[in-house]
Amino acid sequence: MWLQREIHLKPKPRGFHLVTDEVLRELPELSNVRIGLMNLFILHTSASLTINENADPTVRQDFESYFNRAVPEGEPYYRHQDEGSDDLPAHIKSSLLGSSLNIPVGDGRLKLGIWQGIYLCEHRNHGGSRRIIATVQGE
């Protein structure tokens, strides 16, 4: 079985957002997959995806603080500034974290660890809605 769907995530403020449930709501067929893989690919260069802590929201706040210090805005050596001071740092953060995830599927659900969830990493101040392509292969 193959399934591919474009998922539209609602606009979110800058930061790290747990979107596991939002993604799963768009993939009811996943409940029929006994064994397989799901790939998620974000169709943007200023947002990213990662998997991490799903229980304590301070982890997401700490991620935002860390990445803002690691990749600051307004550096004098940045040349790409056409879309605002947050744009190039957003591209760098997206490259560091990545644009895709591969997650095992089994017994009709994602085989994530008990404390793991899917994050949308919104690196722009006003990123807008984000699109993700979900591709599931399984039986």
Side-chain angles (χ1 to χ4, degrees):
M1 174 195 107
W2 283 90
L3 167 70
Q4 189 170 77
R5 180 159 302 134
E6 185 170 313
I7 298 171
H8 296 261
L9 299 177
K10 296 175 186 172
K12 295 181 178 19
R14 181 170 166 165
F16 289 73
H17 304 278
L18 192 59
V19 295
T20 310
D21 291 341
E22 197 171 345
V23 168
L24 290 176
R25 270 194 299 276
E26 299 298 320
L27 298 167
E29 301 90 342
L30 205 63
S31 64
N32 299 324
V33 178
R34 188 177 58 80
I35 185 170
L37 284 172
M38 179 176 71
N39 175 269
L40 297 176
F41 181 80
I42 192 162
L43 297 170
H44 304 276
T45 61
S46 57
S48 55
L49 299 170
T50 194
I51 294 174
N52 217 293
E53 167 80 46
N54 68 359
D56 184 351
T58 63
V59 171
R60 296 188 299 277
Q61 295 164 1
D62 289 343
F63 268 42
E64 179 66 11
S65 296
Y66 170 81
F67 278 98
N68 287 337
R69 286 186 183 198
V71 187
E73 293 182 23
E75 291 296 327
Y77 53 85
Y78 292 164
R79 296 190 310 200
H80 177 76
Q81 298 186 31
D82 296 344
E83 296 179 48
S85 63
D86 66 332
D87 189 43
L88 183 64
H91 293 312
I92 294 169
K93 293 171 187 177
S94 176
S95 288
L96 290 171
L97 286 161
S99 57
S100 67
L101 300 172
N102 287 308
I103 305 170
V105 178
D107 302 319
R109 62 181 188 80
L110 298 180
K111 296 298 242 180
L112 292 169
I114 191 166
W115 304 114
Q116 290 182 316
I118 301 167
Y119 286 13
L120 167 69
C121 314
E122 177 54 71
H123 305 302
R124 295 298 309 267
N125 293 329
H126 306 287
S129 78
R130 297 299 190 173
R131 296 177 305 144
I132 295 174
I133 299 294
T135 305
V136 178
Q137 178 188 18
E139 54 184 48

